[in-house]
Amino acid sequence: MFSKIVATGSYLPEKILTNDDLAKFVDTSDEWIRTRSGIQSRRIAADNEETSDLAVNAGRRALDAAGLTAADIDLIVVATTTPDMIFPSTACIVQDKLGASNAAAFDIQAVCSGFVYALSIVDKMVASGQHKNALVIGAEIYSRILNWKDRATCVLFGDGAGAVVLTASQTPGILATRLHADGSRRAILNVPGHVRGGQVWGDPYVHMDGPAVFKMAVQVMADVCNETLAMANMTAADIDWLVPHQANVRIIDATGKRLGIAQEKTIVTVQGQGNTSAASIPLALDTAVRDGRIKPGQVVQTVGVGGGFTWGSALIRW
Ligand code: UT7
C-alpha cells in the first residue's frame, strides 16, 4: 500500500498589503524588498479570521477537488506555527468546523518545514493501511507574530493556507521523504515568547538573523533534495517541477542552480504572498495544479526549510 496526493486546495485572505503600503509605516522601500526577496505583496488575515478558518477554507477546496466529503476523511494534520490557541490543536478545531467527525486530528510544529514534515508522517500512516483519506494542511497567520516596527522581518511574511488530500493507493505517490533538524541553530530564527503564570514571558515576535538563515537554507535545500532523489533512484533530470519553500527568490534560484534544475521548472509564488511558512508549499502546489502546470504522472520535488532549524524534502509522483 502507498499514499498518493489526489487533490489540492488553498485559501488567501482578502486583504493585500503591498510593499508601498509597508513603506508608509516602516523604514523600507518597494525597491529594497523586491531586490532582496522578490516579494511584491502579501495577504493579511481579517481580525475575525483564525488560522483554523484559513485551514478550513483550503481544506474544503481540496475536498471538493477530490470529490470527497468531510465524512470521508479519517485523518487531519495541520502544520502551523501560529495555532488558534495553545491547546487544543488547530487540527481539532478544523475537524469540528469541517464536520469531519470520523477523523483523528493533530498538529505538526516544524515552522516553515512543517508541511513536508506532515506529509512525510501522514504518508507512513496512510501507507500502513491505518488511514484511508487524509487531509494535510499548512496554515499560518504570521501577521500576528510580527513586530511591525522591525523592518528586517515584517516585510517578509504573509498569511494563507494550502491543503492536499492524501489517499491510500496501489501505486506509489509519495516516492521518498527525508527530514532533518539541528536544534543548536534555534537562535537564528525564533519567537522566544511563551505564556507563564497568565502572562507572556519573553518577546512574542519573530526574530531572525536573515543572512545566517539565508546561508543555511541555501546549503541544506539542495542537499536534502539529492537525498530523496537517491532514495528513489532518480536524478535531478527526472524532476518535472521543483516546489520549494517560498521565502525568497534568491534562495529559490540558488537551490535550483545547485540542483541543476532550470528556472522554468521551478514554481515561484512568493511575489504575491510573501513567506507563509508551513502554508507556502501547499499554496504553491495548488497554484501549479490549478493553472495546469503540474499534471498527473509528473515528478514533483518539494523542499522546506525553517526555524528549529528544520529541513526536509518529499519527492512525489503526481
Ligand atoms: O522561511 C525561512 C525564513 N526566512 C528566510 O528564508 C529569510 C532568509 N534571509 C533573507 O531572505 C535575507 O537575508 C533578507 C531578505 C532577510 C535580507 O537580505 P540581505 O541581503 O541578507 O540583507 P541584510 O540583512 O544583510 O541587510 C542589508 C541592509 C542592512 O543595512 P546596513 O547594515 O547594510 O546599513 C539592513 O539594516 O539592509 C537593511 N535592511 C533593510 N533596508 C530596507 C534590513 N531590512 C530592510 C528593509 N528595508 N526591510
Side-chain angles (χ1 to χ4, degrees):
M1 188 78 82
F2 302 98
S3 83
K4 196 169 179 69
I5 295 176
V6 294
T8 61
S10 63
Y11 172 78
L12 290 168
E14 242 171 67
K15 185 180 168 187
I16 297 173
L17 187 70
T18 66
N19 294 345
D20 286 334
D21 294 335
L22 275 164
K24 286 179 194 147
F25 61 88
V26 65
D27 183 15
T28 190
S29 66
D30 176 53
E31 202 266 334
W32 190 96
I33 302 169
R34 273 179 202 250
T35 50
R36 301 292 172 127
S37 72
I39 299 166
Q40 298 168 18
S41 62
R42 70 286 295 142
R43 301 298 185 102
I44 304 293
D47 284 347
N48 63 354
E49 278 182 315
E50 301 296 339
T51 297
S52 60
D53 297 314
L54 275 53
V56 163
N57 288 334
R60 276 210 188 101
R61 288 174 186 175
L63 286 179
D64 287 347
L68 296 175
T69 68
D72 297 319
I73 295 296
D74 55 19
L75 177 64
I76 297 173
V77 177
V78 176
T80 187
T81 313
T82 49
D84 285 18
M85 49 184 80
I86 291 176
F87 76 80
S89 67
T90 302
C92 280
I93 301 169
V94 169
Q95 187 238 28
D96 176 45
K97 289 183 178 174
L98 277 177
S101 49
N102 299 317
F106 64 93
D107 285 0
I108 291 289
Q109 218 292 35
V111 199
C112 301
S113 313
F115 181 77
V116 175
Y117 264 68
L119 200 60
S120 175
I121 292 162
V122 174
D123 167 49
K124 275 82 191 165
M125 294 177 78
V126 171
S128 74
Q130 190 133 33
H131 295 271
K132 205 165 154 233
N133 295 314
L135 196 52
V136 183
I137 305 174
E140 303 279 14
I141 302 187
Y142 259 61
S143 58
R144 293 183 191 157
I145 56 166
L146 293 171
N147 175 352
W148 289 99
K149 292 185 178 136
D150 176 13
R151 68 178 184 173
T153 53
C154 76
V155 304
L156 299 172
F157 294 88
D159 304 338
V164 301
V165 175
L166 210 60
T167 65
S169 163
Q170 297 298 326
T171 54
I174 308 297
L175 303 176
T177 66
R178 186 88 179 122
L179 305 176
H180 291 281
D182 179 358
S184 74
R185 309 296 293 270
R186 63 190 181 279
I188 63 175
L189 179 55
N190 60 27
V191 177
H194 61 285
V195 173
R196 190 192 290 191
Q199 287 184 322
V200 175
W201 279 58
D203 192 334
Y205 296 119
V206 173
H207 289 261
M208 182 170 72
D209 177 345
V213 172
F214 192 102
K215 211 169 134 196
M216 180 95 188
V218 171
Q219 269 170 14
V220 299
M221 284 170 90
D223 289 351
V224 73
C225 285
N226 282 323
E227 284 184 76
T228 50
L229 284 170
M231 287 165 76
N233 289 318
M234 287 183 169
T235 69
D238 296 305
I239 297 175
D240 292 297
W241 295 107
L242 176 66
V243 185
H245 170 49
Q246 306 286 316
N248 182 314
V249 282
R250 289 155 59 214
I251 296 176
I252 292 171
D253 288 349
T255 302
K257 252 190 211 129
R258 285 190 64 186
L259 272 172
I261 294 179
Q263 264 182 335
E264 307 81 71
K265 289 186 166 191
T266 305
I267 307 296
V268 183
T269 54
V270 71
Q271 315 88 309
Q273 296 170 11
N275 181 347
T276 57
S277 193
S280 91
I281 291 174
L283 266 163
L285 286 173
D286 187 52
T287 302
V289 166
R290 284 175 195 259
D291 69 20
R293 278 179 289 177
I294 295 180
K295 295 184 190 65
Q298 291 187 326
V299 176
V300 177
Q301 172 107 62
T302 63
V303 56
V305 62
F309 221 78
T310 58
W311 64 103
S313 166
L315 191 63
I316 304 161
R317 169 83 62 191
W318 213 261

